[in-house]
Amino acid sequence: MASKQEQQFNEIQKKNLEAAMRLAQLSIENSQRIMELQVGTAKSLFEEGVANAKALSSVKDPAEALSLRTAYAQATTEKMLSCAREIAEITSKTQAEVGKMVTEQLTGGGQDVVDSFQKLFKGLPIGDHNALGSIQSAMDTARAAYEQMTKASTEAFQAFTKVTPKK
């Protein structure tokens, strides 16, 4: 029969595996959304390119041809920027969801690890309280670093959305 410590360790592993599976599912779903968006955009651009080529082939006036080409280039640019914006939004939402999951893992899982180490050290003949403090400090440092990365990437996304004009 497994000891209480082994059961706790197995429970932590189970929680980590569930979190990894949620993360993988989220990644697959968002990759699928992005691919569908890219395929839709490419198909639309191809169809518009064919229609534009047909329209240009019937034009006799160079000024009208230039006007059609300019309009097509502008429409293509707008579609590409719109696609890039949507991909950035999907990425931002995914990042927020992953951030929430990681924060939950660092908070909940981190506390589980600290609790497990506390119980482990209590069971040892020589209790090293400095080691437990070091573990807690490392978890806090990791949590703070993750929060800084999340803040920096959120600011970068906001800067990107300000640079790309919306329709």
Side-chain angles (χ1 to χ4, degrees):
M1 180 171 224
S3 71
K4 189 172 184 172
Q5 290 172 340
E6 288 172 336
Q7 289 174 347
Q8 290 172 339
F9 184 72
N10 288 340
E11 187 63 30
I12 291 170
Q13 284 182 319
K14 182 181 174 186
K15 287 179 184 178
N16 287 338
L17 180 60
E18 289 170 357
M21 289 170 49
R22 284 193 329 243
L23 183 61
Q25 183 65 33
L26 180 65
S27 177
I28 290 168
E29 289 169 359
N30 287 311
S31 294
Q32 185 177 12
R33 283 188 205 123
I34 289 172
M35 284 189 296
E36 288 171 357
L37 176 63
Q38 289 173 328
V39 167
T41 301
K43 183 179 178 183
S44 174
L45 288 173
F46 175 75
E47 290 168 354
E48 289 176 13
V50 169
N52 187 53
K54 286 179 182 178
L56 280 172
S57 69
S58 66
V59 171
K60 306 283 187 233
D61 181 27
E64 186 180 351
L66 181 61
S67 176
L68 278 174
R69 286 185 180 156
T70 302
Y72 176 67
Q74 183 177 1
T76 299
T77 302
E78 287 175 5
K79 274 194 189 274
M80 297 294 285
L81 286 174
S82 175
C83 181
R85 241 189 328 277
E86 287 182 54
I87 290 172
E89 288 172 11
I90 290 170
T91 303
S92 177
K93 288 177 185 176
T94 302
Q95 179 185 8
E97 291 177 48
V98 169
K100 181 180 175 188
M101 287 173 50
V102 170
T103 300
E104 287 173 2
Q105 284 298 106
L106 286 175
T107 303
Q111 191 57 48
D112 290 344
V113 170
V114 171
D115 291 345
S116 295
F117 276 115
Q118 281 178 334
K119 290 175 184 172
L120 176 68
F121 285 135
K122 284 181 184 176
L124 294 176
I126 301 172
D128 187 353
H129 299 291
N130 290 334
L132 185 59
S134 296
I135 293 169
Q136 182 67 50
S137 176
M139 295 296 287
D140 291 342
T141 301
R143 191 175 303 117
Y146 177 76
E147 289 171 1
Q148 271 305 104
M149 288 184 337
T150 301
K151 181 181 176 186
S153 59
T154 300
E155 289 172 358
F157 172 73
Q158 289 171 346
F160 172 76
T161 56
K162 287 179 184 176
V163 170
T164 58
K166 291 189 177 184
K167 281 191 197 177

